[in-house]
Amino acid sequence: MTRYCTKCGAINDDTAQYCVNCQAPITPVVGYQPMQSVNQNAVGDWQSKGADKKIVAGICGILLGGFGVHKFILGYTTEGIIQIVITFFTCGIGSILGIIEGIIYLTKSDEEFVRTYIQGKKGWF
């Protein structure tokens, strides 16, 4: 069973004591938990949370993926350096990873992009 944060509306595990999104304490649920109203500005404001980086990182991933520019844009310095090393040692073939990641970035919704790459800090794919 999933539990919803009453402050931001994020979905949490049934064992979570704090919200994964806003760190607000989650009260234990006994029995049925009805849907509660959520602060819509907190949920829908993905641009201020980092969705504005999606287009830039996606295009840079496609065009400059071998140089890891898309990683540096998202704040993944270590992964960016690894991307450069992979591209160097594979004589450019490693840049295919950047192209794939750029396409993945551009096909995700703003919400999914922010949750995965900004909040979740997922460095690869």
Side-chain angles (χ1 to χ4, degrees):
M1 179 170 91
T2 56
R3 295 175 15 184
Y4 296 91
C5 175
T6 56
K7 182 177 178 186
C8 71
I11 298 173
N12 294 279
D13 292 334
D14 57 343
T15 59
Q17 294 180 355
Y18 296 94
C19 176
V20 295
N21 187 33
C22 68
Q23 303 303 318
I26 297 177
T27 56
V29 176
V30 178
Y32 173 73
Q33 179 188 12
M35 280 296 290
Q36 300 174 6
S37 64
V38 176
N39 181 357
Q40 291 300 321
N41 291 335
V43 174
D45 193 16
W46 300 111
Q47 293 297 92
S48 68
K49 293 184 179 182
D52 54 336
K53 295 180 179 180
K54 180 177 94 167
I55 304 272
V56 176
I59 291 173
C60 286
I62 292 170
L63 299 177
L64 304 168
F67 300 111
V69 175
H70 60 294
K71 299 288 189 184
F72 293 110
I73 289 172
L74 295 175
Y76 301 136
T77 306
T78 305
E79 289 87 348
I81 293 170
I82 292 170
Q83 180 71 47
I84 293 170
V85 171
I86 289 172
T87 301
F88 177 75
F89 282 115
T90 61
C91 299
I93 296 173
S95 63
I96 293 172
L97 294 173
I99 295 169
I100 293 169
E101 286 185 324
I103 292 169
I104 290 172
Y105 293 167
L106 293 174
T107 56
K108 289 189 178 286
S109 68
D110 287 349
E111 176 184 356
E112 190 176 13
F113 179 82
V114 169
R115 288 187 190 266
T116 305
Y117 299 106
I118 305 297
Q119 294 174 344
K121 295 287 185 190
K122 183 178 179 185
W124 297 98
F125 295 104

